[in-house]
Amino acid sequence: MSDSGPPTTGSPYVPHSPSETAAMLDAIGVPDVESLFDVPESVAFEDDLDIEARSEREVRTEIEALLARNDDLTEFLGRGHYGHYVPSVVDDLSRRSEFLTSYTQYQPEVAQGFLQALFEYQSLLVELTGLDVANCSMYDDATALGEAATLSQRVRSVSGDRILVPAHLRDGKRGVLENYVDGPGCTVESYPMDDGCVDVDALAAAMDEDVAMVYAETPTVRGVVEERADAVGELTDDHDALFCLGTDPVAMALLERPVDVGADVVVGDAATLGTGTAYGFGLGLFATREEYLRQVPGRLVGASEDASGRRAYTLTLQTREQHIRKERATSNICTNQAWVALRAAMHAAWLGPDGLVDLAESCVTRARGLAAKLDEVVGLQAPVHDRHHFREFVAHTDQPARVVAEDLTDEGYAVHKVGEHLIQICATAQRSGAEDAFLEAIEEVA
Amino acid sequence: MEYDQARWTDGDRYEPLLSEKSTSEVAVGDGPLPEDLTRDTLELPDVSEPELARHYTRLSQMNYGVESGPFPLGSCTMKYNPSFTEDVAALPGAAVHPDRGVATVQGTLELCHRLQDYLGRIGGMDAVTLQPPAGAAGEFTGIQIAKAYHEHNGENRSSVVIPDSAHGTNFATAAMAGYDVVELPSGDDGRVDIDALEAAVDGDTAALMLTNPNTLGLFERDIEEIADIVHDAGGLLYYDGANLNALLGRARPGDMGFDVMHYNVHKTFATPHGGGGPGAGPVGVTEELAPFLPSPHVRRETGAEGETGAGNSGYEYYDPAHSIGKVHGYYGNWPVLVKAFAYVARLGDSGLRDTSAKAVLNANYLAEQIPYDVPFGPFHHEFVASAGDQDAADVAKGMLDHGVHPPTTKWPETVDEALMTEPTESESKRSLDHLAAAFEAVAGETDGTLADAPTRSTARRIDQATAARSPRLCWQALKD
């Protein structure tokens, strides 16, 4: 066999020898495979798809060549998608085939390993949020927010169809939310921000009995640590609305517990643990209060006992789900991000409580340190919000932000442009070795 | 072949939770933020890396995957997942940030464009979006596209028609999009009953959601007539791609009259299911529906030179004219898409056709070998047997003791004690014979012994009722 692998006539992944195929056809009683296809001639496809089969080595080389077309930039990018260092042991263990190639745990007796790992993931989120219930994953932060909004329609005692979101919100997140609430017929409205935090007076003025849910974030999309989350919790309580807080597991290791600021639902992206930057690949986290348990979307793993009397785990409360309840299900989600959740739980366990808190604190100090250095660069003021920051911050540029961002790209760096004269910069440990060179580059272009 | 699954025990539990091995509660504060903005304490598992490695290795041993043995879970298409697709999805160049300027991620966009093109050809569709992160998300995207299309034409249609044997996600999706669900009873032959369809479809019908072959493994031979009925009423035809494996290179939804479809790349294109995800659910549409695709969409730059080949033109994102907007925070489950691209490229025309050939051969061969009644037929990639007087759940537990994963049970509800079986193309004759022997052995166990099964798995029969009645969903609940 050459390094090209098996010949590419037919699928390399079917194990049938010609004689086995013949024996099987014989057993069925048909002359050939074609006669098994019950497709009317009028819709049968007789042409070529015109997709050339390649060897494994050729496909690998081809994809390497394609990806080599991406510019080699050092990214100071964040806004919801982060590349924290993922330890090698996470790759190694999560890729064990019994995890990777398994399916949803419909037969719990042979799936105790994955069920326990998901139970441990749920436990991690319960500790971080302080809430009672976490599911074992949604697609990403945006879809988790969408699910929170539809939850608000199911659990609220009075009707109301206004969903309030911060003026500083990633476009993609708002777009997904609008699609999710299109069916229930909700409106999505923005409330203003006050120097990067919730403008509590403006939010209070916007509240009425038609508000079903208020969404706030900490850190915000601009990296600001929200200082008035507790005030949002009080406002929503006063109006019988749900308070949905967006965050992530690294931030939660340090910031006030969501339950302590009155959050009813916590959503966000848990891919900050266990997954590097992968073009927006996410892991939606979703946690809420026990009183909403039977309205929770998605999969839940629970503890029970088996016939030997030992504790065992199983998917539970499946009557909420689409394969049982059909159109009365709490969500249509079926395939979720289970394997990504496994990786997040592994990463958190690898860090341990000290390591996770250290990681969170380093996010604050790195962002603060880089902002202070940038503030000394002529033509830059950083951060523009006089607040605490987590991982990232917005800087004002005297030059048009577009020019600064483009010039930085030419120098090999990527930053966000978030306004005419505003750029946003994310400082994680992944970029720590590049900070000095970045500062030199930005001194040149700013 | 005898089978025993690994079982690590520690008193009245199996492998302890990490939290039960060792936890630490650390005080938070005294850090870079004022105390009123920080939590007080954090309590988490606290184990060394060697202990962590052993814990997860044990858990993996107590889990069954495709490489453990046959996994004929109907409608899930659990086939062998080649290892190399994992490696290419993890290449350093794949790990870019989604907010980079498009000029700096041309390789990423070109790979997306090539996959869109492949999927379009395979499905007979004019345009494909890769954004939906799973099959059900693809369904939602497709139905939102149908809704936007009707609204654009000034029509406010209120219902979606779905056969009673359809995947549960179809019903949930239609409801989620705000539609009333009209359930379509199956005909006596397990297929769409044309008279019932005529009665169900009217001017309120936004779409008919259908998979073909259907969940019973039967090809809807009247598909052109079905399409005409739906189209004549002004509705759209939606294809659920869960069963596309049966048709690769042999028939295309676009040619059958479907207007919009989703692909389950984690099923058809062998990206690992990961214990329940991640998947990806690209959506294909006809030219007429292309303006409604999610934003942004990848296309070759306007005016670019050359139509094929790498490196001779640029790619860009654009917002389709009447886009439904976003269905994922960024652009979907990118690593899964890379794996799907690698798989399709590895197989090519001949491999894709061989896939459907052997998937259909295997299903028909196994259906022939098993002792249970298999109504309807002829079958494509899967079949639904009836366990008859036996409880399908007991049959499943009994099969576990033979070292195989059982079929999907008790679904669809249109077959009594259903055993929905999809062996896929990657099972050998030898492994199908082993599966058939497992069915045979379990079918013969009518003396109540199945109630004790399984006995060779990690866990014995698990009490599901207690789990639901007194939910304990985290370690913290076990402590109390």
Side-chain angles (χ1 to χ4, degrees), chain B residues 79-375:
Chain B
K79 59 168 84 170
Y80 174 71
N81 309 133
S83 302
F84 91 106
T85 64
E86 290 306 305
D87 286 338
V88 296
L91 286 168
V96 295
H97 193 285
D99 283 351
R100 293 229 322 216
V102 291
T104 73
V105 286
Q106 285 294 296
T108 297
L109 266 60
E110 182 168 355
L111 195 148
C112 289
H113 192 263
R114 285 196 199 176
L115 181 58
Q116 288 172 192
D117 178 49
Y118 281 170
L119 294 178
R121 285 189 228 180
I122 290 165
M125 289 286 159
D126 297 318
V128 175
T129 175
L130 304 177
Q131 197 178 114
E139 290 177 27
F140 182 60
T141 305
I143 291 301
Q144 287 293 98
I145 288 171
K147 190 176 182 182
Y149 167 81
H150 290 307
E151 283 171 2
H152 181 75
N153 293 334
E155 293 200 59
N156 192 12
R157 291 174 174 249
S158 58
S159 66
V160 169
V161 180
I162 306 173
D164 54 9
S165 64
H167 299 112
T169 46
N170 290 180
F171 300 86
T173 298
M176 187 175 160
Y179 283 109
D180 298 327
V181 174
V182 176
E183 189 165 307
L184 185 65
S186 298
D188 294 338
D189 63 351
R191 295 179 170 83
V192 169
D193 178 330
I194 296 295
D195 291 339
L197 179 66
E198 299 240 15
V201 169
D202 59 25
D204 282 334
T205 305
L208 168 68
M209 297 180 86
L210 197 66
T211 187
N212 193 17
N214 66 27
T215 50
L216 295 165
L218 309 173
F219 195 86
E220 300 284 357
R221 289 182 292 239
D222 301 325
I223 186 61
E224 291 165 292
E225 193 182 351
I226 292 168
D228 285 345
I229 292 168
V230 175
H231 289 152
D232 287 349
L236 296 170
L237 197 55
Y238 181 93
Y239 182 83
D240 179 328
N243 299 343
L244 188 64
N245 207 45
L247 295 185
L248 293 173
R250 304 188 179 260
R252 310 192 303 173
D255 301 338
M256 299 175 204
F258 285 94
D259 304 288
V260 49
M261 68 175 288
H262 79 263
Y263 305 75
N264 297 79
V265 303
H266 47 292
K267 300 185 181 190
T268 313
F269 305 113
T271 56
H273 288 50
V283 167
V285 294
T286 59
E287 203 169 2
E288 203 176 10
L289 294 179
F292 302 91
L293 285 171
S295 62
H297 193 65
V298 181
R299 69 179 173 194
R300 205 181 282 270
E301 269 177 12
T302 315
E305 294 295 314
E307 281 303 305
T308 55
N312 61 351
S313 60
Y315 296 84
E316 64 184 0
Y317 278 125
Y318 80 106
D319 293 334
H322 310 298
S323 173
I324 60 161
K326 299 282 291 177
V327 293
H328 181 268
Y330 293 102
Y331 314 112
N333 279 344
W334 159 253
V336 181
L337 299 167
V338 179
K339 294 176 206 180
F341 173 81
Y343 184 79
V344 174
R346 177 77 181 95
L347 262 54
D349 259 310
S350 62
L352 292 167
R353 286 179 62 82
D354 196 27
T355 294
S356 53
K358 298 304 187 327
V360 172
L361 174 66
N362 280 2
N364 282 278
Y365 177 74
L366 186 61
E368 195 71 30
Q369 309 299 309
I370 73 166
Y372 291 107
D373 180 38
V374 185

Side-chain angles (χ1 to χ4, degrees), chain B residues 60-79:
Chain B
S60 75
Q61 290 168 346
M62 299 194 290
N63 209 63
Y64 189 97
V66 168
E67 290 182 15
S68 310
F71 213 135
L73 204 56
S75 265
C76 300
T77 313
M78 291 296 289
K79 59 168 84 170

Side-chain angles (χ1 to χ4, degrees), chain A residues 321-351:
Chain A
E321 293 188 59
Q322 31 67 35
H323 62 289
I324 307 275
R325 188 66 71 87
K326 295 167 78 165
E327 71 267 31
R328 292 180 304 282
T330 51
S331 165
N332 76 338
I333 192 167
C334 184
T335 290
N336 47 45
Q337 303 284 104
W339 184 71
V340 197
L342 168 79
R343 290 177 59 99
M346 282 179 177
H347 190 176
W350 182 80
L351 287 165

Side-chain angles (χ1 to χ4, degrees), chain A residues 16 42 45 50-51 62 69-71 96 107 109 120 122-123 140 279 304 306-307 311 336 350, chain B residues 14 18 20 43 49 60 96 100 108 110 114 121 224 250 275-276 329 349 362 397 461 463 473 475:
Chain A
H16 307 60
S42 53
F45 178 71
D50 214 12
I51 301 173
E62 181 178 331
R69 294 190 64 203
N70 286 344
D71 292 353
R96 288 183 65 89
Q107 296 294 338
E109 293 85 0
E120 292 184 327
Q122 291 174 184
S123 305
D140 70 343
Y279 210 55
S304 185
D306 73 357
R311 184 206 302 156
N336 47 45
W350 182 80
Chain B
Y14 297 101
L18 276 175
E20 291 168 328
E43 183 178 10
E49 182 169 320
S60 75
V96 295
R100 293 229 322 216
T108 297
E110 182 168 355
R114 285 196 199 176
R121 285 189 228 180
E224 291 165 292
R250 304 188 179 260
D349 259 310
N362 280 2
K397 301 306 179 195
R461 190 80 67 100
D463 179 359
L473 306 173
W475 171 59

